[in-house]
């Protein structure tokens, strides 16, 4: 039986972003992509962006979504939170994903390790904005299901092997 006040989770896909000022659970699934979650624990606003690639290989194509690339997605989520009242000094970040999905097939090639490059660029952009990265679950060669609670800032990472709360 469903409670009346129970809120349906918000599902986001690749290159999508959502923020919420009210308690919400944002969910996505990532492999080599990065789920970046940011939140302000005082006013309880948070959001998630599903990052696909480290940077735009065709920067002249301005029609591309900013949230698709770590290079621009970190700022996009940060700016959206600030516009909704978050305090830049209180914003915290968590990331998950960045797997090397090609390892499952025995392919070991640095150029194919999009996941590691996504994680590296995301961390670089967070550092440039002075946003503390307080938790991460990255790397490996497995997909992750992510649930982010904007009220508590809790990120749940689910794989075939385990469930982690970070």
């Amino acid at each position: 039986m469903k409670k009346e006040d129970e809120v349906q989770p918000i599902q986001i896909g690749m290159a999508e972003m959502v923020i919420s000022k009210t308690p919400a659970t944002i969910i996505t699934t990532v492999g080599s992509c990065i789920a970046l979650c940011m939140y302000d624990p005082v006013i309880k606003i948070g959001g998630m962006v599903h990052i696909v690639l480290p940077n735009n290989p065709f920067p002249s194509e301005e029609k591309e979504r900013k949230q698709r690339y770590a290079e621009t997605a970190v700022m996009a989520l940060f700016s959206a939170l600030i516009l909704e009242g978050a305090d830049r000094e209180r914003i915290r970040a968590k990331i998950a994903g960045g797997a090397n999905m090609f390892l499952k097939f025995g392919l070991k090639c640095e150029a194919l390790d999009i996941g590691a490059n996504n994680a590296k660029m995301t961390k670089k952009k967070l550092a440039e904005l002075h946003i503390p990265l307080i938790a991460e679950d990255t790397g490996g060669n497995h997909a992750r299901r992510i649930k982010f609670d904007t009220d508590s800032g809790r990120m749940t990472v689910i794989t075939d092997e385990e469930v982690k709360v970070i």
Side-chain angles (χ1 to χ4, degrees):
M1 183 168 208
K2 186 176 173 182
K3 296 179 191 175
E4 281 184 37
D5 61 347
E6 191 176 310
V7 179
Q8 287 290 87
I10 302 166
Q11 172 81 43
I12 67 169
M14 293 194 315
E16 292 182 342
M17 179 177 82
V18 69
I19 64 168
S20 181
K21 292 170 94 171
T22 58
T25 300
I26 306 167
I27 58 175
T28 197
T29 301
V30 292
S32 61
C33 295
I34 293 285
L36 166 62
C37 300
M38 289 188 208
Y39 70 103
D40 178 330
V42 174
I43 65 168
K44 298 188 183 285
I45 183 174
M48 179 192 291
V49 62
H50 185 132
I51 298 168
V52 180
L53 293 169
N55 49 33
N56 186 347
F58 308 105
S60 62
E61 293 183 17
E62 293 180 29
K63 63 184 174 197
E64 289 293 329
R65 289 189 199 180
K66 289 182 180 183
Q67 56 266 32
R68 182 180 310 269
Y69 308 103
E71 180 177 59
T72 50
V74 175
M75 179 57 93
L77 181 55
F78 176 75
S79 297
L81 290 171
I82 295 298
L83 283 172
E84 292 297 328
D87 183 309
R88 73 176 297 119
E89 299 299 318
R90 295 190 306 243
I91 294 176
R92 303 290 178 255
K94 296 180 179 184
I95 63 172
N100 185 340
M101 302 305 287
F102 292 102
L103 284 178
K104 285 185 175 183
F105 308 108
L107 299 172
K108 237 182 171 176
C109 174
E110 198 171 310
L112 293 177
D113 197 354
I114 297 163
N117 293 327
N118 280 340
K120 183 178 177 181
M121 180 63 79
T122 300
K123 290 176 188 180
K124 177 183 176 197
K125 292 301 178 178
L126 287 169
E128 287 175 4
L129 291 170
H130 306 288
I131 300 170
L133 177 61
I134 62 169
E136 74 174 285
D137 183 48
T138 58
N141 64 351
H142 55 275
R144 295 163 168 89
R145 179 99 169 126
I146 311 300
K147 293 182 181 181
F148 180 62
D149 180 340
T150 63
D151 191 48
S152 67
R154 182 175 33 236
M155 177 190 270
T156 304
V157 181
I158 304 161
T159 65
D160 289 340
E161 293 85 35
E162 65 183 328
V163 174
K164 292 182 191 175
V165 178
I166 60 174

